[in-house]
Amino acid sequence: MFEWMAWTMPVAVFFSCIVLMLVGMTVWEIKSPTVLRRGFLPLETTRGDRLFIGLLSAAYLNLMFVGISGKLVGWLALEREPSIWISFVLSMGLLALIVRKG
């Protein structure tokens, strides 16, 4: 069923985190319904809105990192491409910032 995708450890951890976040947010929403609030995003959002925006931002950050990681080798004179774990940590940080302060 999953033969079409390259299931590496970073990919598995990334998708596991997304599933855990969705389950956690569902339970949190059932226990404590959300209210609209305004953060640094230019619109009023709920927790679910901020999670969705944050997940999209994290995905785009990962894609950009994968896209430029080959060029980083030449630009920074690295011996090999940077680890995808760097992208994972940065994207989870961005997601946390958007969910918390967005």
Side-chain angles (χ1 to χ4, degrees):
M1 179 174 163
F2 294 113
E3 295 84 26
W4 59 271
M5 186 164 180
W7 284 99
T8 62
M9 183 58 74
V11 170
V13 169
F14 183 76
F15 282 107
S16 298
C17 287
I18 290 173
V19 168
L20 289 173
M21 279 186 276
L22 290 173
V23 169
M25 288 292 284
T26 301
V27 170
W28 190 10
E29 184 67 27
I30 291 170
K31 295 283 186 186
S32 171
T34 189
V35 294
L36 288 173
R37 76 169 175 86
R38 192 171 185 96
F40 67 82
L41 295 172
L43 64 153
E44 289 185 345
T45 57
T46 63
R47 284 188 298 251
D49 297 334
R50 291 187 300 275
L51 177 65
F52 180 72
I53 293 167
L55 286 172
L56 283 177
S57 301
Y60 286 126
L61 180 67
N62 273 310
L63 288 173
M64 285 188 288
F65 186 85
V66 168
I68 67 166
S69 63
K71 295 188 185 301
L72 287 175
V73 173
W75 293 341
L76 303 176
L78 302 174
E79 293 180 17
R80 59 187 177 93
E81 288 187 5
S83 172
I84 195 71
W85 288 108
I86 296 168
S87 171
F88 176 75
V89 170
L90 292 174
S91 66
M92 290 299 109
L94 177 64
L95 175 63
L97 175 71
I98 290 173
V99 170
R100 179 76 177 130
K101 300 287 184 179

